[in-house]
Each structure stands twice: as C-alpha cells, then as structure tokens.
Amino acid sequence: MAAVLEGLEPEETAAAAEDAARSAVEAVESRPGAPFLLVGNQLNLDVHPGGCHRLQYLCSQQPPELLQVEFLRLSTHEDPRLLDDTLAQVPWSLLRLRSLVLKGGQSRGALGACLHGTLTTLPAGLSDLACLAHLDLSFNRLETLPPCILELRSLDALLLSHNRLSELPEVLGALPALTFLSVRHNCLEKLPATLGSLSTLQRLDLSENLLDAIPSEIGNLSNLSELNLASNRLQNLPASLAGLRSLRLLVLHSNLLTSVPTGLAHLPLITRLDLRDNQLRDLPAELLDAPFVRVQGNPLGEASPAPPSPPDIAQIPEMPRLFLTSDLDSFLVTPHGCSVTLACGVRLQFPAGATTTPITIHYRLWLPEPHLVSLGPHDFLLSGVLELQPHGVAFQQDVSLWLLFVPPRVQRCREVVVRTRSDDSWTDLETHLEEEAPKRRWARCQVPHFSWFLVVLRPVSNTCLLPPEGALLCSSGHPGVKVTFPSGATEEPRQVSMQVVHMAGLELRALLEESEASVSPLLCLSQSGPSSFLQPVTVQLPLPPGVTGFSLDRSHLHLLYRTPSTATWDDITTQVALELTHLYARFQVTHFSWYWLWYTTKTCVGGLARKAWERLRLHRVNLIALQRRRDPEQVLLQCLPRNKVDATLCRLMDRYRGPEPSDTVEMFEGEKFFAAFERGIDVDADRPDCVDGRICFVFYSHLKNVKEVYITTALDREAQAVRGQVSFYRGSLPVEVPQEAEAARQRKGTDALWMATLPIKLPRLRGPQGSGQGTDFSLMPLNLGDAETGFLTQSNLLSVASRLGPDWPTVALHLGMPYRELQRIRHEFRDDLDGQIRHMLFSWAERQAGQPGAVGHLVQALEQSDRQDVAEEVRAILELGRHKYQDSIRRTGLAPEDSPLPGTSASQTPESTQA
C-alpha cells in the first residue's frame, strides 16, 4: 500500500482532511516510482508536513497493513490540538506498536538551531500500548512527565532529552523493564531516591542539567554500565558509586567536583572515567596512575584556596576562561589571570599574579617562511609560526603555552620541542607532550615572555652545564657515544650539547656502491661561550656496524670532521690519535663540530660524506596539480612526500581531477621553490605569495605544502579549450622564468632548476567568457532537488554564487550550516571571496544531493537573507525548466496537449537546464 507522502495541505475540518488525504494517496499511487511511507512494519510520517492528517486518514480507513505496524515516527511540529487528537487514535489502530518516536528538531531557526516540537503532554490512552518498548520524546516542551508513561510496563528505552523537565516523579522507579533512560539537557535540579529501584537499568544519561547532588540510592543500580553526569553543578559524589560493579563508563566532566570516592579506582569493569574540567586539587594515587582516567583542566597539585574572606573584604574572582573566535586577534589579561583558547587551537594559561597591571595580548599566525623559521640541518618543522605580543615583556610568573601539532611517524632518536626567539637568537624550551587524539597532540611549555613560537622535531639533545671540575656527557639514544671533559677544560661554566643522527646502512651502500661500507652514528657537539676548550676533550664513538677493533683494516677507517665555515667534510684521521677498542674509537678534540667515522675502501671520502650528509636531509617528493571538478579554474598545487601521495589522491579525487603526479624529486627541509603557469595560463588574483604570476612555496615535510589558486587566460576560450601547463622550479624566485628552449636545455642538466611540468586545461566556454556557465569540463550531474520543488544544475548554482557577494555567510546560516564551518571556509579561502562563496554553496549542495526539498530550502534561505532578487532568479529558472519539461513530454506523446502534468507545477528535470 502506498501511504500519503506529498502535496497534502492542512484542512479546516476532519472531513476535508480525509478527502484531501484520499486525493493525495490516489495521486501518489498513480505516479510511477512514488516513494512509500509504509515499508514492512515501519510507518514514517515525520519527513514532510501533514503527518497527523495522513495518520488520521489511515486510521479511518483501517487498511490491513496498518495492523502490522510496529514502528511509528511522527513529527511534533504540528498544531497541538491536532497532534493530541491524532495520538488519541494510535492505541486503537496500532495494536502491535513497539516503537513510538515523537520528536521535534526537524526544523531549524534563523541561526540554524533545532526548533522544539509542540508536544507538552500525552493522551492517557497511550497507556494501553501493551507492547510499547521504545518511546522517544526528545526536542519537545514537556515540563512534567506524562502519567501514562508510568503505566507502560514493557518500556525498555525512554528518551526525554532537550525538554523542560524540572523533576522526575517518585513513581518512575516502578518501570520494571527499563534499561535506557536519557534526560539530557533539561532543567533537573534533583533526582528522586526511587531512581535506585530501576534494577534493570543499564544506561543512564543525566548530563547538561542543574543537579548539585546525587542520591546515594543510585548505588543500587547493579546492572548499570554507563552513567553520564557531565555539565551539572555537582560538588561531591556519594560513596555508593563505588558499588556499581557493572559500570564501564563514568562521565563527570564539567562539574564543580573537589573530590571523588576512592573506591572508583577499584571498579572491576571500568574502562573510562572522565573527570576533566572540575575543581579537583588532589586525587588518590590509584586514580592518577590509572590509564582510563582523564583529568585535564583540573588544578591538580595546586594549593588549596584560602578560606572565605570576611564579608567586608572583597572576594578574588575565579580565573575566567576565554574562547576566542577567528575574528578576534587580542584579549585582555588582568592580575587575576585567565585561561585562553585561541581560534587556531592554541591554549594559554596566565596564573594569578602573572601581570601586575592589565595588559592586552595580541596574537597572529604566520606562514612558515624561512626568515621566521630556524631549523638545524636535521630538524623538521611540525607547525606554523605563532607570534604573541608585546615582545619581551617579562611576566612575574611563567605562562603555560599549548601548541597543537600533528605527530610525525615514529623516528629513531628524535624529540618534539617548542622553539622560541629571544634577543635575535632561537632557543628550545623544555617541552612536555600531551595527547588529545591519535593524530593530535599538544606541545606544552612554560614561557617567561612573548615572542615567536613554533614546534620542531629534532634529534634528541643531551645537555649539561660544564663546570671547571669537568664532567661526563652521554647520549641517551646511543649509549656508546660519550664525551669526557677533564678538569680545567673551562674556566667558567658553559652549556654543552650533544646530538646523534643515525644513517641506514642500505642507503649508504647504495650511495657508495660498496657492499662492505658502513658508518658510525653522526655526532654533533655544540657549546656556549668560547669556541675552544683549554684542555683536550675525549670523544668516544662506536665503530661502524660489522667492524671490530681487532679485525679492521686501519687504512679503511676514516674520521671525518665538518668545517662550519665552508660546510665541507675533511678527513682528519692522520691529525688525531685514534685509540681503538673492540667496539669503540676514542680521540681528542679542542673545539666542537660534526664528527663521523667511516669504514670504506674509497680513498677520497670527503665528497662522498657531503653527498651522504645531504642524503640524510633529502626528502623524496612528488608534485601534483589538480583542477576542481565543479570549477576547473580553481587549481590545487601540492608538494607531497612520496609515501603520502596515494592516500592524498584517494581523498581528493572525488572533488578534483588532473594528471598523474610528477616523477619523484628530492628536496631539502625548508627549501624554496615556485610554480609558474605557462602557455597562456595566468594566476587570476593578487596574492602575497604571487610575484609576476609565479607562486612561491617553501617545502616542509610534515606540513601540507598545499595552495589553491584561481587561474585565467587571455586566449579565446569560446573557440576552443586552452591547454597550458604549470612548471615547478627550484630556488628563490628568479628574474624571469626560463623560456621553453632554455627550460628544455636545463631540464637535461644534472643541476637543473626545473623539477616538473604538469598539464593544465581550461575547457571551452559555451557562453560569454567569465559568466561561469556552460563549460565542457567533464562533470557528473548535480541533480540538486526533487520532482516536487525542482532541480538545479551546476551552471545554475554558479550563477547564484556570482550574485551573492558579502551576503553569503547569512545565506549559509539560513541553509543550516554550522558557524564553525563558516569560520573554516573563511580561513581556508581568506584572500578569495569568490572561493568562499563557491565552496560554501557547492559543499552544501553535495550534502543535499538526493534529498527532497533542497531547492525550496535554498529559495527560503535567500528570502530570509533579504536576497529576494536571487530568489526570484532561481524561481525563474525552475519555471523555465517546467515549461521545457512539459513541452518535451507532449512532443513524445506521453501526455495530451491540454492536460497538466502531475507533479510538474513547480519542477524541472536536471536535463532541462543544461543549456
């Protein structure tokens, strides 16, 4: 049986409603491919308006299929009296009903918030539903629990979230079969003690209420496995919670807890205990060490607050928490301190007393250009550059700073540090890592003043303060690497540091083409103060793998030293006295640099060492150039490490298309290169990274290295497509890009600047250039809309996008897009208004594909945004499509000349607007 779905308008009387419903049923049944609302034992009446009228009609007709219905969904965005009359008929018509969903929330307000339904109570007759096991009343206006619910003896799940309940009745504990109860986001201030009588209850959600206490009887819920009490006002918990032996999940974040029962650590099945953002200053050791406990946002380890002051003394206000949006670039810090979360994810905590007077802090995120980034030869950049101002202002107490970064793959003997600039030099801060998710981590440090900050992956650094009495410095990554400082090596204490880098033997042997070649770990020694020591310092390095002191040929052993001024490697084997043991080599030096032991039959190893050292720093990458499928003038350029190419292309190819990636090339961390569009293709916008039509890049292996640009051409695209190219060149931006003949010659050289060339095609325009309509670029049909409200094509949406201008955020909010997504679009296309509009409109359209009413929703959003002109344009497009569709149907003889076509009063097909 085809149930009522489309075209039913509310009527004044029940008889009129029945006639209208009967007509709608006949219309739907006569239409080929009409969707059904009654499928098997499920009846869905919450998708379109008029669900109550449809259900009343079905109940009056009593078709045999109606008696088999076990699942009913009905929207509560109806007239309250009509809704009450309809629900009163349910017990008499749906005798086998097991699940009843009466939810609001299907409609949204002007700012995208879900609107509550009109349901305030339930008719008493619903208590006759003897089989009802699932009842969902979420997003309504219930202020008290309807009495009929308490008589549903088979009820297994009761969902009451997002209502206005201020209390639960004492008799709630009489429901014998209840296993799931959700009262989230209500106004509960207390709970009945009889809640502990729900012996079958397994999941209980009481989050986002106004609870300040929990009855001790809750400890009687012996089968409870999940308990959510987050976002309440709880200051303490009953000790009886430790008796919930079946509990697996306990969520208590965002309360005012100052302590928790010790017995929670001994719950046998607990897998997660969330205590974040409370007032906990101390926790039992069992909980602190437990891997399932989350305690971020608590003042653990801090001193207890002072006792309350007398009434005549002003109270010190609680430290405020600030959450900045992307349109704010500053905030005020007072002597009371504050906790700040920036829109980019960076967090700062200013303790009380950090400043003596109020001070305004400004922040800015910079792209990691070389003049803002300080990297060692074997360092990798993991983040952008954060600038905090005012520079150099010292705080009375250290400020905590959390920088977000994506963790790199596990690498041997490397560590993550925060690097900052101070007095024209860069220093590494003591850094602690905190994990938020498998692919998101925080680098936390203490900063005494503000400057520039970035996150770096470096070889593990071992540091010590060398006194005049001498010291021993060992490597934590390679225990065999040691430096011994004798007494008198320095007159004043100085800082000395050691870093060790490992090189794979296979890579070295491939470079030297020698199967027996091997090298020791590469050792870097640095110091503060004078460049040399007063006494020789003894360095110990392990012999290269596969070599022992008793079997090696000393003529094949070379000690190499890197000269800092010329960046060359010198063989100093004959200049030092090498002392060999079975596993180690020892030698003495008076100043620090890089040292390396090689075992090879080659004689001139200085040049080979330079190549090997560069190979340690080189990354094998591929270059890609893709065009957006829906907008071929938008080009994505990216430089990717070879191991990330396939995964990235899989993620992009549903939205982009283009040639295969370039051949593999090698690049250094921080190396500059640029992309030049050639053969009639130019960049279409003024950009700070675009000079004379060439896009500047800096390669960082752990960052995205991606840019999206709009391109244009001066050639005539109405006659034919423009086939151009984009070429990638090394080095800083040259005076001019090599001409094709010169570029071809350079491409054959071993040290050529050219890296790759990829084709770019701008398709032929069918209409006026710049109209944004009618390209021959291969696209899948958009099919936005449905047969009732109409269809829009890609060309239609491009026309709409070209007219929205600065009003696009208002339109997006009326379309139901979340504000966070708008902020992300603004940031991603911050220099490109057209890109913001197109991305917003097409990302919304892609999510609406196949959804009914999408075009009507767009027209309504345009009208609500005071863009009646664009709304009228969309209506005109729909009307034109309707006439074309009717004419085509009549020409094929599928309909008489004078008969209206059902369902085409305001619709069109996707094909009707492809012109």
Side-chain angles (χ1 to χ4, degrees):
M1 183 193 78
V4 185
L5 178 62
E6 299 176 298
L8 184 60
E9 298 292 339
E11 302 294 334
E12 296 294 334
T13 64
E18 183 175 330
D19 293 340
R22 185 184 299 108
S23 300
V25 170
E26 293 171 356
V28 172
E29 289 180 338
S30 63
R31 190 176 305 168
F36 288 81
L37 286 181
L38 181 58
V39 180
N41 60 356
Q42 301 182 24
L43 179 58
N44 299 313
L45 297 172
D46 62 340
V47 179
H48 294 282
C52 286
H53 285 297
R54 298 180 181 117
L55 183 57
Q56 287 186 2
Y57 171 73
L58 292 174
C59 291
S60 66
Q61 297 299 307
Q62 286 293 317
E65 293 86 352
L66 193 62
L67 299 177
Q68 307 300 321
V69 171
E70 297 182 2
F71 303 89
L72 172 63
R73 298 180 64 93
L74 184 65
S75 172
T76 57
H77 293 287
E78 301 275 5
D79 177 75
R81 182 178 299 178
L82 175 63
L83 182 62
D84 189 65
D85 293 341
T86 304
L87 293 177
Q89 300 183 36
V90 169
W92 308 104
S93 304
L94 305 175
L95 303 179
R96 299 185 180 182
L97 196 63
R98 297 178 57 240
S99 174
L100 177 59
V101 177
L102 303 172
K103 290 181 61 174
Q106 285 89 358
S107 300
R108 295 182 178 270
L111 298 179
C114 293
L115 298 179
H116 288 233
T118 60
L119 188 69
T120 58
T121 187
L122 293 176
L126 287 184
S127 61
D128 296 330
L129 294 173
C131 300
L132 193 66
H134 175 265
L135 179 60
D136 189 348
L137 304 175
S138 304
F139 284 96
N140 282 294
R141 302 181 184 181
L142 299 175
E143 296 182 359
T144 59
L145 196 65
C148 63
I149 295 179
L150 304 174
E151 300 179 29
L152 299 172
R153 314 301 292 178
S154 300
L155 196 61
D156 177 81
L158 177 58
L159 289 79
L160 302 168
S161 62
H162 291 269
N163 278 280
R164 302 173 181 177
L165 298 171
S166 58
E167 62 178 0
L168 297 176
E170 291 284 343
V171 291
L172 182 65
L175 293 175
L178 196 64
T179 63
F180 177 37
L181 174 61
S182 174
V183 204
R184 180 188 179 192
H185 200 92
N186 278 270
C187 306
L188 297 179
E189 297 182 359
K190 62 178 181 178
L191 298 174
T194 55
L195 192 64
S197 303
L198 296 172
S199 58
T200 58
L201 196 63
Q202 298 177 12
R203 298 165 59 196
L204 177 59
D205 188 350
L206 298 169
S207 60
E208 300 180 32
N209 280 282
L210 305 175
L211 300 172
D212 55 15
I214 299 295
S216 60
E217 288 80 2
I218 202 170
N220 298 331
L221 300 175
S222 57
N223 290 310
L224 193 67
S225 61
E226 297 182 12
L227 176 58
N228 191 342
L229 295 168
S231 300
N232 279 282
R233 301 177 178 178
L234 301 175
Q235 299 184 30
N236 52 63
L237 299 172
S240 59
L241 284 183
L244 299 175
R245 311 301 291 175
S246 301
L247 200 63
R248 297 178 180 272
L249 173 65
L250 178 56
V251 181
L252 295 164
H253 70 74
S254 305
N255 278 282
L256 303 174
L257 295 174
T258 57
S259 64
V260 295
T262 306
L264 295 182
H266 305 294
L267 292 174
L269 302 179
I270 191 76
T271 59
R272 179 182 174 189
L273 174 57
D274 194 340
L275 297 172
R276 293 175 297 166
D277 296 317
N278 279 280
Q279 300 298 319
L280 298 170
R281 298 182 180 275
D282 189 21
L283 274 179
E286 299 94 326
L287 288 176
L288 277 176
D289 298 335
F292 57 82
V293 181
R294 297 186 178 184
V295 295
Q296 293 91 336
N298 285 282
L300 291 172
E302 297 183 9
S304 300
S309 304
D312 58 336
I313 299 179
Q315 294 287 333
I316 297 177
E318 182 183 355
M319 178 184 294
R321 294 182 180 180
L322 306 179
F323 297 88
L324 303 188
T325 57
S326 60
D327 57 340
L328 297 177
D329 62 356
S330 64
F331 54 92
L332 181 67
V333 178
T334 68
H336 301 309
C338 64
S339 175
V340 184
T341 301
L342 308 182
C344 57
V346 174
R347 300 198 320 235
L348 300 103
Q349 185 168 344
F350 296 83
T355 63
T356 56
T357 58
I359 182 173
T360 299
I361 305 298
H362 297 265
Y363 81 93
R364 182 174 178 180
L365 284 177
W366 295 87
L367 293 176
E369 295 293 334
H371 67 278
L372 288 176
V373 175
S374 173
L375 294 179
H378 300 281
D379 294 345
F380 301 131
L381 185 64
L382 300 183
S383 74
V385 181
L386 172 70
E387 182 184 11
L388 294 171
Q389 294 182 334
H391 293 175
V393 175
F395 295 104
Q396 304 300 314
Q397 298 186 45
D398 285 351
V399 175
S400 297
L401 172 65
W402 286 264
L403 292 173
L404 192 63
F405 69 97
V406 177
R409 292 186 303 167
V410 177
Q411 300 200 31
R412 181 179 178 183
C413 299
R414 293 190 176 270
E415 61 185 352
V416 175
V417 295
V418 175
R419 186 163 293 172
T420 184
R421 186 175 181 179
S422 176
D423 298 330
D424 296 327
S425 63
W426 290 86
T427 57
D428 293 343
L429 302 175
E430 182 179 352
T431 306
H432 304 275
L433 302 185
E434 298 179 2
E435 184 169 351
E436 181 186 61
K439 293 187 178 182
R440 289 169 62 89
R441 287 187 182 179
W442 298 97
R444 176 174 59 85
C445 60
Q446 303 291 116
V447 297
H449 56 80
F450 280 168
S451 180
W452 287 272
F453 301 90
L454 48 92
V455 183
V456 172
L457 179 70
R458 70 176 187 187
V460 172
S461 179
N462 299 108
T463 304
C464 74
L465 183 63
L466 175 61
E469 295 79 16
L472 174 64
L473 179 61
C474 300
S475 169
S476 58
H478 295 265
V481 179
K482 299 179 180 179
V483 180
T484 305
F485 300 91
S487 177
T490 179
E491 293 181 345
E492 299 292 335
R494 67 174 74 178
Q495 199 83 12
V496 292
S497 299
M498 167 196 299
Q499 288 182 313
V500 179
V501 180
H502 176 78
M503 183 173 188
L506 289 176
E507 194 169 11
L508 174 71
R509 289 191 285 272
L511 176 67
L512 300 181
E513 299 180 351
E514 182 182 351
S515 60
E516 301 299 326
S518 61
V519 296
S520 72
L522 175 60
L523 173 63
C524 173
L525 299 173
S526 59
Q527 60 171 324
S528 63
S531 60
S532 60
F533 293 96
L534 301 179
Q535 298 288 338
V537 174
T538 302
V539 178
Q540 174 179 293
L541 280 176
L543 291 173
V547 178
T548 64
F550 303 125
S551 61
L552 63 79
D553 184 344
R554 291 186 71 107
S555 63
H556 296 167
L557 187 65
H558 304 268
L559 176 61
L560 303 177
Y561 163 79
R562 183 172 180 268
T563 307
S565 57
T566 60
T568 59
W569 287 88
D570 297 328
D571 189 344
I572 60 171
T573 311
T574 58
Q575 303 174 27
V576 299
L578 273 177
E579 176 188 349
L580 301 182
T581 67
H582 183 60
L583 299 176
Y584 301 105
R586 298 189 182 98
F587 54 93
Q588 292 186 330
V589 297
T590 56
H591 53 274
F592 279 175
S593 184
W594 293 83
Y595 298 93
W596 213 352
L597 270 178
W598 279 51
Y599 191 78
T600 175
T601 58
K602 307 290 184 181
T603 54
C604 298
V605 295
L608 295 174
R610 180 181 60 83
K611 292 183 179 179
W613 189 63
E614 289 182 350
R615 181 65 60 87
L616 281 173
R617 302 164 53 228
L618 281 172
H619 298 271
R620 291 167 176 80
V621 302
N622 298 94
L623 300 154
I624 62 174
L626 303 175
Q627 292 174 268
R628 186 174 282 271
R629 291 181 179 273
R630 297 198 183 280
D631 185 5
E633 296 177 356
Q634 184 177 349
V635 180
L636 180 145
L637 305 174
Q638 190 167 10
C639 178
L640 286 165
R642 185 172 56 183
N643 62 305
K644 297 181 180 179
V645 172
D646 292 340
T648 301
L649 290 179
C650 288
R651 187 176 67 254
L652 293 176
M653 291 313 289
D654 60 333
R655 292 174 290 134
Y656 295 86
R657 61 175 300 166
E660 292 292 321
S662 72
D663 293 337
T664 300
V665 296
E666 294 181 334
M667 300 190 72
F668 292 109
E669 183 84 2
E671 182 176 354
K672 297 187 70 172
F673 66 101
F674 61 93
F677 290 95
E678 302 165 341
R679 293 189 176 180
I681 303 292
D682 299 302
V683 180
D684 189 31
D686 292 331
R687 301 167 52 110
D689 59 352
C690 179
V691 180
D692 296 332
R694 287 158 282 180
I695 305 297
C696 302
F697 285 82
V698 182
F699 172 73
Y700 294 106
S701 58
H702 291 79
L703 302 184
K704 290 186 176 180
N705 306 303
V706 59
K707 294 186 180 182
E708 292 203 53
V709 299
Y710 276 90
I711 58 174
T712 185
T713 179
L715 303 179
D716 183 9
R717 290 175 58 192
E718 295 185 22
Q720 62 181 2
V722 176
R723 300 180 182 274
Q725 65 187 29
V726 57
S727 295
F728 297 88
Y729 298 89
R730 295 183 185 276
S732 301
L733 195 67
V735 176
E736 60 179 289
V737 176
Q739 299 296 323
E740 290 187 20
E742 176 66 15
R745 184 189 65 79
Q746 288 192 8
R747 293 169 192 175
K748 299 178 182 179
T750 56
D751 296 324
L753 297 178
W754 172 86
M755 292 188 293
T757 296
L758 299 172
I760 296 291
K761 174 186 176 183
L762 283 179
R764 180 174 62 88
L765 290 175
R766 296 180 182 173
Q769 185 171 358
S771 65
Q773 301 184 25
T775 69
D776 64 351
F777 201 69
S778 178
L779 296 170
M780 296 180 62
L782 185 61
N783 289 344
L784 175 66
D786 57 88
E788 184 67 21
T789 57
F791 289 92
L792 290 179
T793 66
Q794 178 209 12
S795 298
N796 302 146
L797 279 187
L798 286 173
S799 177
V800 172
S802 66
R803 298 186 57 185
L804 286 184
D807 293 330
W808 75 267
T810 307
V811 176
L813 290 175
H814 284 120
L815 287 174
M817 296 182 70
Y819 186 75
R820 180 176 295 180
E821 185 171 355
L822 265 65
Q823 295 293 82
R824 181 185 61 78
I825 294 174
R826 280 196 182 105
H827 177 74
E828 186 174 351
F829 299 90
R830 50 189 173 274
D831 298 325
D832 185 5
L833 178 61
D834 290 338
Q836 293 174 358
I837 300 172
R838 293 178 181 179
H839 188 83
M840 177 279 293
L841 202 55
F842 279 98
S843 62
W844 171 81
E846 289 172 356
R847 290 194 294 267
Q848 301 297 317
Q851 299 295 323
V855 175
H857 191 189
L858 175 59
V859 173
Q860 182 182 11
L862 291 169
E863 291 175 338
Q864 293 172 341
S865 306
D866 294 327
R867 292 307 304 265
Q868 189 69 31
D869 56 333
V870 186
E872 291 298 333
E873 178 182 330
V874 174
R875 287 196 180 95
I877 294 172
L878 299 178
E879 184 68 15
L880 176 62
R882 180 178 69 84
H883 288 298
K884 288 185 177 181
Y885 179 57
Q886 289 181 340
D887 292 344
S888 63
I889 292 295
R890 291 192 179 101
R891 283 197 304 270
T892 57
L894 296 179
E897 290 289 335
D898 57 349
S899 65
L901 295 174
T904 61
S905 58
S907 64
Q908 61 182 10
T909 65
E911 294 80 3
S912 64
T913 54
Q914 289 290 347

